Amino acid sequence: MKALGYEKAHPLDAFALELIDVPEPRPRETDLLVEIRAVGINPGETAIRRTRSAEPGGRLILGWEFSGVVVEAGPAVTGFAAGDRVMGTGEVTRDGAWAERLAVDHRVVAKIPDRLSFVDAASLPIGGLTAWEALFRDQDGLPPGVDRVLVLGSAGGVGSMATQLLKAKTPAFVIGTASRPESREWSTTMGADLVVDHSGDVVAQLNDAGVGPVDLVLSTAGTIGSLGWIAEALRPFGHVSAIDLDGPVDTAPLMRKSLSLHAEVVFSRMDGQATVLAELARDAAEGRIRPITTTILKGLTVDSMRQAHELLETGRTIGKVVLSFQID
């Protein structure tokens, strides 16, 4: 089968993904074999391409956000059959979905309704799961006493899903951050009650708007360098959820207000993820949330994937870039 793979980590200006022939994946007992129809492209995958190389003599196939059709279900799989339309995340320790077919554990896959397109379904899993776990964790809703939530980067994939989930499933007052007119407009479309400019003094903007201290901050980028003002924006015993804690963290600002810090990584578990994915699919199909596809690229090709990486590495994308394998 065909797949987009590479051997050595590389920067964008030396883009080295190639369309290669690889063996058909061999499903495990708990796996589904899925024919891929669309993939969402994520900033984390561009970071892996820049920093992670294959083992000597090997190759890497990335891509952990997909939609497609089940070809085969392993003997230990229940609830799925050939022909089912599905979406999921895959596992970072295995080959990803930038390929014609994917073998994936059924616990990170959910069926999608017929009225939800493959492209739109592929925009939901990573942002939706990340936002869900960062906000709700293992609870039915927000932590007790959380009524005001600040979403940093509310026009990105995770921020877009977080804003929508908060508005669809909680009574919280949601503040988004965006620095450009188009990202502010998108954040408002996602449901933000207030949008402030993260390139300015956020705390002052919150005070000017009469909001005051917030109860929870979901930070999607630049968290380590922002913890000082994030702590200032929070009430004592408030909460920080962050998805990008990839270095040393100075916790002193948090200690001064007895703040809790939750580090979120979507691949930290499998159990329960299929349930969340299924609810996201239903919510999207029934209009409670909207898919976040903003850019559609066509075909499993080097050119389309490079274009996706170019867009994401600007740091200015809104919503989700999706690559559709179906060429009209």
Side-chain angles (χ1 to χ4, degrees):
M1 71 173 188
K2 298 291 184 182
L4 287 171
Y6 72 94
E7 296 178 6
K8 295 182 179 179
H10 57 277
L12 184 61
D13 60 6
F15 197 72
L17 265 71
E18 296 180 309
L19 190 63
I20 56 178
D21 289 304
V22 297
E24 188 93 2
R26 299 178 62 181
R28 302 169 183 172
E29 287 194 347
T30 58
D31 279 353
L32 300 172
L33 181 63
V34 179
E35 182 180 281
I36 303 300
R37 298 294 177 86
V39 291
I41 314 298
N42 295 280
E45 291 158 343
T46 71
I48 292 173
R49 187 211 75 233
R50 294 192 301 270
T51 58
R52 179 180 163 193
S53 296
E55 296 293 329
R59 83 288 179 274
L60 290 176
I61 300 172
L62 308 184
W64 295 288
E65 183 172 45
F66 69 88
S67 63
V69 177
V70 174
V71 176
E72 175 187 338
V77 173
T78 59
F80 293 93
D84 286 343
R85 303 170 77 253
V86 296
M87 69 181 194
T89 61
E91 304 165 63
V92 292
T93 57
R94 303 174 68 181
D95 283 346
W98 296 355
E100 291 178 326
R101 292 188 176 189
L102 172 73
V104 57
D105 194 292
H106 72 287
R107 292 173 292 174
V108 290
V109 177
K111 296 178 186 178
I112 56 176
D114 289 341
R115 56 187 175 277
L116 186 63
S117 73
F118 287 115
V119 165
D120 282 342
S123 78
L124 299 173
I126 292 292
L129 277 171
T130 302
W132 189 293
E133 293 177 355
L135 293 168
F136 306 142
R137 304 174 198 177
D138 288 323
Q139 306 171 103
D140 292 332
L142 291 167
V146 173
D147 300 309
R148 292 159 298 179
V149 180
L150 176 62
V151 179
L152 307 187
S154 54
V158 174
S160 297
M161 293 302 300
T163 302
Q164 293 194 86
L165 288 172
L166 286 165
K167 297 309 297 181
K169 300 184 180 297
T170 82
F173 185 86
V174 181
I175 308 105
T177 75
S179 60
R180 294 172 288 137
E182 57 269 35
S183 53
R184 292 177 67 89
E185 180 180 359
W186 176 263
S187 298
T188 301
T189 300
M190 292 294 99
D193 298 294
L194 172 69
V195 181
V196 298
D197 186 349
H198 52 237
S199 67
D201 187 332
V202 173
V203 176
Q205 293 173 71
L206 293 175
N207 290 333
D208 290 344
V211 175
V214 299
D215 305 306
L216 186 152
V217 173
L218 170 58
S219 182
T220 64
T223 303
I224 292 173
S226 302
L227 277 179
W229 73 255
I230 288 175
E232 188 180 352
L234 281 159
R235 62 163 169 81
F237 298 96
H239 307 266
V240 182
S241 283
I243 68 171
D244 67 330
L245 295 179
D246 55 358
V249 177
D250 178 8
T251 59
L254 308 181
M255 293 290 293
R256 287 191 284 270
K257 281 191 171 179
S258 299
L259 303 174
S260 64
L261 176 63
H262 170 69
E264 168 59 28
V265 178
V266 74
F267 299 106
S268 59
R269 70 174 188 180
M270 285 189 178
D271 293 342
Q273 291 205 339
T275 300
V276 176
L277 287 169
E279 186 161 344
L280 290 170
R282 286 194 301 270
D283 285 345
E286 295 171 10
R288 288 182 289 274
I289 63 173
R290 58 177 284 183
I292 58 171
T293 306
T294 51
T295 302
I296 303 173
L297 303 174
K298 296 289 188 177
L300 180 66
T301 70
V302 173
D303 288 344
S304 61
M305 189 60 74
R306 176 169 184 150
Q307 187 178 350
H309 284 232
E310 288 172 344
L311 289 169
L312 287 167
E313 291 197 16
T314 67
R316 297 169 69 85
T317 53
I318 293 171
K320 177 73 67 171
V321 177
V322 175
L323 196 156
S324 173
F325 290 12
Q326 297 175 289
I327 302 177
D328 299 328

